[in-house]
Amino acid sequence: MGREGRRSPPSSRFLAKTQFAYCAFFLMITCCRATPVQERKVYIAYMGNRPNSQASLPALHFGLLHRIIGSAKVASDSLIYSYHRTFNGFAARLTEAEHQKLSALTGVVSIFRDESYQLQTTRSWDFLGFPQNVTRATVESDIIIGMLDTGVWPESQSFNDSGYGPPPKKWKGTCQSSSNFTCNNKIIGARYYHTEANFTTKDFSSPRDSEGHGTHTASTAAGSIVTPASVLGIASGTARGGVPSARIAVYKICWSAGCSDADILAAFDDAIADGVDIISLSVGGFSAVDYFEDSIAIGAFHSMKNGILTSNSAGNAGPAPKTVSNCSPWSLSVAASTTDRKFATNVKLGNGKVIKGSSLNTFEPGQKMYPIIYGRDAPNKTSGGDASRYCYPGSLDKDLVQGKIVYCDDASGSVEGQIEAGAIGSVIQSSSPYAEMESPFPLPVSLLGAATGAELLEYLNSTSYPTAVISKTSEYVDSSSSPHVVFFSSRGPNPITSDILKPDLTAPGLNILAAWSEGTTLSGQTGDKRIVPYNIISGTSMSCPHVSGAAAYVKSFHPTWSPAAIKSALMTTARSLSVKDNADAEFAYGSGQIDPARAADPGLVYDARESDYVKLLCGQGYTTKQLRLVTGDQIACSTKTNGTVWDLNYPSFALSSSTSGNSVTQVFHRTVTNVGKPVCSYRATVNAPSGLKVQVVPDALNFKSVGEKQEFVVTVTAALGNSTISGSLTWSTSDGGHMVRSPIVAFVRD
């Protein structure tokens, strides 16, 4: 889900004045003695918009420092960054005296100390308790994540291969290089698939990304460490993927017209043969379909068969129930949740009042205040009706709107009408829950809620000459309701196999900053000219690669673990979310929010192999003939071998009834494998609210070796009314070193 007409460039008079000031300042300080770099502190000098001249800003910045410091070598050592692609400024190590002199120079907007903040670009990983300095396996660079998406922008710094050795020896893939695409030791392989081959002008006929989506997901999962990264100064910090040292294999399956089943399966086929370790797929259908009529479920099954875990997005069709679209038991279905980083795009009114709004506004105000008009008061007389209040295209009078901010009632989210009428900005009252997502527009925009919209309207009616200004987006921390699952994230119950809980877990998917394709613009909307290397977008497409990166992290420590074992580790170590902030409870977040650091050492895992899924499929009514074709094995479904959904060794427990007002009992058989200390003991703890009874036999497990398996039986009785009842079973060691938690959900199915 996820574009600055630029401010007018400085006039030649301004530039001349600035350059003169540089020269004058040079005369004042060339006699000064240079101070060693280690005695200096880091400052950022912000010099406003990028000049519309051909001058090299890095050279200009170096020259300025040289003149201030007096030594070319010290100036070179002091210059840390030159900001020159989208705005003008630099970061350098300066003495206090040099800082004071620089701040007084004409042309310097501001200069300030480089401070350490908790808010960073990849805030999502830190929010998960997964810092940059987390313990990492020495073989992380041998892990390969296969990204099935819109391709990638290979020149992004997030895919810089500096310091990488050659691809792992297990890699058998290829790079479909072309005149506009080459691989490196970070992006070790790239292929593209287009069954119809009907390329539009928006498409690159190569693995290159023209949409931005694939670049964003790939960098979220395994992007290299990049500092600084931001969206034109917003959310500035360090960008990194979950496994920054891992390799990326690109499989371009999606185009401007969509993603076809044929291409998806072809990509799965290649990715498995190429030797990837994890497959990440932020793609899904409009609704769930039978497992073997679903290209993603089919591909994921064969990935599982070959020891590869597939991480899928749950879908963006929430908050309606039974909307999760990727729900096969052998893949990992990921919901989207929030972090504690929020954004605000404030509107300051002529009476001094500041109204809090939302959007991703990269524009700096060109002046203090602008006239503002209500769209309803500026109708194009020829269009008729009250369409102008919604600012629909063709509904506004250009003579009344030109050069003003226009206030619009709830509309479709497009600003085409405002741009067409010559507005310099727009404030929109939006009742849509999508306002939670910070979206960019081709002109300054702030979205207001009903209450704040009413405040603005009251001001407009109180004065004959209303004015306002829309601020550039700022960020702040608010952990009061985080994490909670975002409204758009698809919900369970599982529409295919109701008693397998889906989604499996959740991860950050709202307002995530990651790398972006420079083959498109910030917003992708008509009139947008901003080309950016990083962007902020939202969706379960963004949460999925977080889990893909976490799965790769676990795989780097346990390269022989099965897909089910990795999945179990992620699910049973997930942090439970508050039902208070998540009304749909486990149908929204599954086992909870991922905790990658804990998942690398889960203690116990619920393992499953292909044969376990085949037994389930037999019990679900698939025939011997069908499953022989699917598996390639001479299996035989029978009453003796058919498995039940409750006996699949799944890390969560779900039971349902077709009628309300009765009691339902279900027996679950489970097996856990010790992957922690060789000698250890676990005891069961049940959290069961009123109406839910859970019995575990045995309630203590004693292990004598790593790899040892032990079985237990869980009997759940639920008194089902009209609401869902949920609890949990946790196996924990006496020292609290390991806590293996599984949700238990009982509900009435439709």
Side-chain angles (χ1 to χ4, degrees):
M1 303 175 178
R3 291 247 190 252
E4 159 170 85
R6 305 183 189 280
R7 291 175 56 188
S8 299
S11 65
S12 58
R13 179 178 297 178
F14 174 84
L15 290 174
K17 181 181 177 183
T18 302
Q19 290 164 359
F20 173 80
Y22 291 163
C23 295
F25 200 71
F26 166 67
L27 294 174
M28 294 165 56
I29 52 80
T30 49
C31 60
C32 298
R33 179 176 63 87
T35 304
V37 172
Q38 59 268 27
E39 296 179 17
R40 301 168 180 274
K41 296 178 180 179
V42 178
Y43 288 87
I44 291 90
Y46 172 58
M47 304 176 70
N49 196 40
R50 188 181 188 281
N52 193 29
S53 70
Q54 299 303 312
S56 168
L57 287 181
L60 190 65
H61 298 153
F62 169 76
L64 177 59
L65 280 176
H66 184 191
R67 293 161 190 162
I68 291 174
I69 295 171
S71 163
K73 183 180 185 305
V74 177
S76 178
D77 291 342
S78 296
L79 182 60
I80 302 171
Y81 298 114
S82 176
Y83 307 123
H84 63 279
R85 301 191 68 187
T86 56
F87 58 94
N88 184 9
F90 60 89
R93 295 181 178 90
L94 302 172
T95 65
E96 178 60 24
E98 291 162 353
H99 154 236
Q100 293 296 333
K101 292 174 182 177
L102 186 59
S103 64
L105 185 62
T106 301
V108 175
V109 177
S110 61
I111 182 168
F112 47 92
R113 277 283 305 275
D114 178 38
E115 301 286 354
S116 296
Y117 293 92
Q118 291 299 311
L119 291 177
Q120 295 181 325
T121 296
T122 45
R123 173 66 182 167
S124 53
W125 286 114
D126 290 321
F127 182 71
L128 293 171
F130 194 60
Q132 186 172 326
N133 62 352
V134 70
T135 301
R136 295 190 178 275
T138 56
V139 296
E140 183 176 290
S141 64
D142 288 340
I143 299 297
I144 305 168
I145 302 181
M147 302 297 305
L148 278 62
D149 214 295
T150 64
V152 76
W153 190 262
E155 292 82 7
S156 170
Q157 284 301 303
S158 288
F159 309 123
N160 188 309
D161 69 346
S162 178
Y164 284 78
K169 292 181 179 180
K170 64 184 177 184
W171 175 244
K172 302 180 182 65
T174 187
C175 184
Q176 284 182 287
S177 57
S178 65
S179 59
N180 75 354
F181 192 98
T182 55
C183 295
N184 59 18
N185 285 327
K186 177 68 174 179
I187 302 173
I188 60 174
R191 303 174 185 266
Y192 65 101
Y193 309 83
H194 202 334
T195 301
E196 300 300 326
N198 54 340
F199 302 103
T200 70
T201 55
K202 296 181 180 180
D203 295 320
F204 295 117
S205 56
S206 77
R208 182 175 292 278
D209 180 13
S210 63
E211 303 286 330
H213 190 278
T215 301
H216 198 281
T217 57
S219 63
T220 299
S224 300
I225 298 171
V226 180
T227 302
S230 70
V231 180
L232 298 174
I234 299 171
S236 183
T238 299
R240 62 184 172 94
V243 276
S245 299
R247 316 301 179 111
I248 296 170
V250 176
Y251 300 87
K252 183 176 178 179
I253 57 169
C254 297
W255 306 81
S256 57
C259 326
S260 79
D261 285 322
D263 294 339
I264 291 170
L265 283 173
F268 265 111
D269 192 23
D270 280 336
I272 294 166
D274 288 346
V276 304
D277 295 292
I278 303 291
I279 288 178
S280 184
L281 184 59
S282 293
V283 174
F286 293 104
S287 60
V289 296
D290 182 273
Y291 296 136
F292 294 117
E293 294 178 2
D294 180 348
S295 60
I296 296 175
I298 293 169
F301 183 89
H302 290 281
S303 298
M304 172 275 300
K305 183 180 174 70
N306 285 274
I308 303 165
L309 176 63
T310 299
S311 173
N312 292 139
S313 52
N316 297 330
K322 297 178 68 174
T323 50
V324 59
S325 60
N326 288 314
C327 48
S328 65
W330 44 83
S331 64
L332 194 51
S333 181
V334 186
S337 47
T338 63
T339 70
D340 59 358
R341 181 167 69 180
K342 314 296 181 184
F343 297 90
T345 304
N346 295 330
V347 181
K348 184 177 181 181
L349 307 181
N351 61 6
K353 188 169 187 177
V354 176
I355 297 177
K356 182 179 176 181
S358 65
S359 74
L360 182 62
N361 178 38
T362 68
F363 300 97
E364 293 279 5
Q367 60 191 54
K368 291 185 177 180
M369 302 297 286
Y370 295 89
I372 182 171
I373 189 171
Y374 186 12
R376 185 192 61 187
D377 299 331
N380 180 347
K381 302 299 185 182
T382 62
S383 64
D386 63 351
S388 66
R389 64 180 290 193
Y390 302 108
C391 302
Y392 292 141
S395 69
L396 296 169
D397 187 324
K398 295 181 181 179
D399 293 334
L400 295 175
V401 173
Q402 183 81 33
K404 298 177 182 178
I405 296 172
V406 59
Y407 172 68
C408 310
D409 285 327
D410 198 358
S412 63
S414 169
V415 292
E416 183 180 347
Q418 294 94 311
I419 294 174
E420 176 187 81
I424 56 86
S426 186
V427 180
I428 304 172
Q429 179 179 312
S430 176
S431 60
S432 168
Y434 281 92
E436 191 174 18
M437 294 166 23
E438 309 302 340
S439 300
F441 297 88
L443 78 169
V445 169
S446 181
L447 304 177
L448 306 183
T452 49
E455 289 182 52
L456 177 55
L457 196 56
E458 181 181 358
Y459 166 70
L460 291 176
N461 293 328
S462 72
T463 177
S464 301
Y465 302 99
T467 58
V469 65
I470 301 171
S471 300
K472 184 176 180 178
T473 297
S474 60
E475 58 184 281
Y476 62 99
V477 174
D478 180 6
S479 57
S480 59
S481 63
S482 292
H484 68 263
V485 175
V486 192
F487 74 97
F488 59 72
S489 185
S490 291
R491 265 59 168 181
N494 187 330
I496 303 298
T497 308
S498 60
D499 286 10
I500 292 179
L501 182 62
K502 290 286 179 172
D504 290 305
L505 39 66
T506 189
L510 182 70
N511 302 325
I512 304 301
L513 191 146
W516 195 244
S517 169
E518 295 187 37
T520 184
T521 60
L522 179 61
S523 69
Q525 297 183 28
T526 302
D528 197 348
K529 305 297 183 184
R530 295 165 295 177
I531 305 298
V532 295
Y534 290 85
N535 200 357
I536 293 173
I537 59 175
S538 301
T540 54
S541 284
M542 284 61 258
S543 57
C544 171
H546 278 91
V547 174
S548 305
Y553 179 74
V554 175
K555 179 85 171 179
S556 70
F557 286 95
H558 308 286
T560 62
W561 279 13
S562 70
I566 296 172
K567 177 177 176 177
S568 172
L570 291 166
M571 291 174 63
T572 60
T573 58
R575 298 181 184 274
S576 179
L577 272 62
S578 168
V579 176
K580 174 186 173 185
D581 297 321
N582 300 273
D584 298 314
E586 286 83 1
F587 290 144
Y589 52 72
S591 294
Q593 180 180 261
I594 59 166
D595 187 341
R598 287 185 62 213
D601 181 22
L604 304 175
V605 294
Y606 293 81
D607 206 355
R609 302 289 173 171
E610 180 190 7
S611 58
D612 297 299
Y613 297 114
V614 170
K615 289 178 181 178
L616 167 69
L617 293 170
C618 284
Q620 293 285 295
Y622 291 89
T623 67
T624 296
K625 182 178 180 181
Q626 287 175 314
L627 293 176
R628 283 183 176 179
L629 292 173
V630 168
T631 65
D633 300 324
Q634 292 301 306
I635 58 95
C637 294
S638 68
T639 53
K640 291 183 178 180
T641 60
N642 289 1
T644 70
V645 63
W646 308 287
D647 288 340
L648 179 65
N649 205 34
Y650 214 70
S652 59
F653 302 83
L655 65 156
S656 63
S657 172
S658 59
T659 58
S660 61
N662 65 335
S663 179
V664 59
T665 298
Q666 196 54 254
V667 178
F668 302 82
H669 294 86
R670 292 292 191 267
T671 302
V672 287
T673 304
N674 179 28
V675 294
K677 296 178 181 178
V679 179
C680 54
S681 298
Y682 287 81
R683 183 165 292 279
T685 301
V686 170
N687 175 25
S690 176
L692 189 68
K693 181 181 178 182
V694 180
Q695 182 182 27
V696 183
V697 179
D699 62 359
L701 302 175
N702 300 304
F703 295 92
K704 297 180 180 179
S705 62
V706 173
E708 182 182 350
K709 299 178 183 292
Q710 292 209 26
E711 299 177 354
F712 61 94
V713 177
V714 179
T715 304
V716 180
T717 300
L720 291 173
N722 294 318
S723 60
T724 298
I725 307 175
S726 61
S728 64
L729 164 64
T730 303
W731 289 102
S732 55
T733 54
S734 58
D735 61 1
H738 290 105
M739 299 180 69
V740 186
R741 181 184 178 278
S742 297
I744 302 171
V745 181
F747 63 100
V748 178
R749 62 181 182 272
D750 294 336

